[in-house]
Amino acid sequence: MRSFELICPAGNPAALRAAVDAGADAVYLGFRDETNARNFPGLNFSREDLAEGIAYAHARRVEVYVAINTYPQAGNLAPWHRAVDDAARLKADAVILADLGLLDYASRTHPGLRLHLSVQASAANAEAIRLYRDAFGVRRVVLPRVLTLPEIAQLNSEVEVETEVFVFGGLCPMAEGRCSLSSYATGLSPNRQGVCSPASHVRYEPRGKALASRLGDFTINVFGEGEQAGYPTLCKGRFVSGDSTAYLFEEPTSLNAMDLLPELKAAKVHALKIEGRQRGKAYIAHVVASYRKALDAFDKGMAVPKIDLEAVVEGGAQTTGAYKRAWR
Amino acid sequence: MTSNQPARLSLGPVLFNWPVDRWRDFYFRIADEAAVDVVVVGEIVCNKRAPFIAPALDEVIGRLSAAGKEVWLASPILVASNRERTAMHDLVDCTDFAIEANDMGALMLLEGRRHAVGPFINTYNEATLGWLARRGAVTVSLPAELPAESVEVLAKAGGETGLAVEVQVFGRAPLAISARCYHARAHGLHKDGCQFVCGNDPNGMPVRTMDGQPFLAVNGTQTMSHSYLCLAAELDRLQAMGVRQFRLSPHDLDMIRIIRTFRDVLEGKRDGRGTVKDLEAIIEGPVSNGFFHNAAGAVYVDAAD
């Protein structure tokens, strides 16, 4: 009996196979359009890709979850309805949804379809989770990355649905699904178009020996000579307030909760999620295999091996994020 | 149908950490002098600040009600800790007042009861609006980032279900909420020992880019726009779409004059486009309306037809 389900990202069919082969219990993915929150050029799945991916995964007893987790556009619900219908038709094991209207549609139209609540719905308390369970029969909730371990434990003692938490990858310091920072700077929205700090609006400007990174009309960072220039994700930028220039919201860093497996188990978390649908198959294979190794050791009651993931984390820096109260 | 009803102005909750005396005096002036129909009251950003306004809350509600304003109590945006949950239960269970829900937890507790849905619950489409209406919502305040095309569909759907759709037309746009306090972090403090440094910035703490360009404003755990969202020039178009309620977000500015300006535009006494420069002078800063025009939220699009 495994302590946790390991939920892994797949941005394309090759990444799906890499995740399955490296030991995922389930992979999550999205269609190639604005219906999912990782709507990046060259990523995601056609209907045919999904059918093949599901066949590959199911043959190896791995589940496939389809994220349809943006907020449908007023007056144009059809693409989102079609995404839910196709996921159901192709026998996805669950759909991951955020929008109330879409949850209502899915629960009425496909009563047998397993519904997970996306992190984009930002359900951070037991009352909110009860609403999603009672109204739509949601079976699992992906918790926003704003909760401490004691808060997660308390929540799991009160709700009857499974909870899934992020353990590795990019870290949103804001409550997900409630952030319009990217939309303010670029006009493209995580909630509406499924993109945050989109590459189409990124520019790098040499300034003498320095390099500025810009998003839309705004400078997000300026890197000195010899400093490694990172991607200008808005909330990981350097800004000026008062007299100080600093990473005001969050340093360029990745979440890594591998050291917290005992605490996550004690908190009765059901599933652990790795972030990174925009990542290549080598990254996916490495991170998933590392977590598989750690979880297998944990399941056998052995000490979790020290696994160095530093080479694949953003800016070479790792954090346990909101799980520890001091992060706040 | 709501199409023949007169337009209403509403005042959202004060989002900043103002001293209680200033907070109370502000609402007394609103009660006595401001041409708003609806006033939404409550601390919705940070639970740690709620005790500050608590002693004046009853007095403020009484004064506003006596002045004929419709008063709603708003629930917090982000509810995670036990303390925040207790506060949410107290608000919903222990008051007879009408509540504006800003989190799904509060919405769950309000089932079957007449309530409003605030702008921090994601209402992006008519299916969600219909679901909220069936659960007892009478007013839905739309998220600031919605473009005109969406607002139009939602206003029409609201009209068909008898639900009032509200749009923010003035004030810094709320852009994000976190469990982390950025005001404390900027001062080298943690949220637990924040010393309430957010009180230093009655309109939010300015955040500039490394090039010195004004960009954002931090309000404790909340991040807002530097520019002030302003849809004065779009009021006619919004009314033509069927929007009947317009929200202004309070700032440490001459709000009485700002409210008067919007009222005059609604009543046809002033031209909306002509007021934008006047509003910029009061704000002493830029305005933006990009979200409504399907552009970057930070920009101002001249709404010439």
Side-chain angles (χ1 to χ4, degrees), chain A residues 70 76 240 322:
Chain A
T70 49
N76 183 29
V240 183

Side-chain angles (χ1 to χ4, degrees), chain A residues 71-72 75 99 101 125 127 158 173 175 177-178 180 183-184 189 191 207 219 240 247-249 325-327, chain B residues 77 79 85 89 102-103 122 124-126 128 134 145 175 177-178 180 185 190 192 208 211 213 227 291 297-298:
Chain A
Y71 288 84
D99 181 63
N125 56 70
E127 291 78 4
E158 293 186 43
R178 303 176 119 185
S180 309
S183 184
Y184 183 69
S189 149
N191 282 359
R207 296 182 178 177
T219 296
V240 183
Y247 289 103
L248 178 64
F249 304 111
R325 195 174 174 88
W327 179 82
Chain B
I77 306 173
V79 179
R85 288 177 61 207
H89 277 273
N102 281 304
D103 171 86
N122 283 338
Y124 279 81
N125 56 67
E126 62 275 28
T128 292
R134 290 196 293 281
E145 76 163 15
L175 297 178
I177 188 82
S178 177
R180 186 179 237 182
R185 185 170 151 88
H190 281 118
D192 287 346
R208 297 186 307 279
D211 295 333
Q213 185 183 11
S227 61
F291 284 135

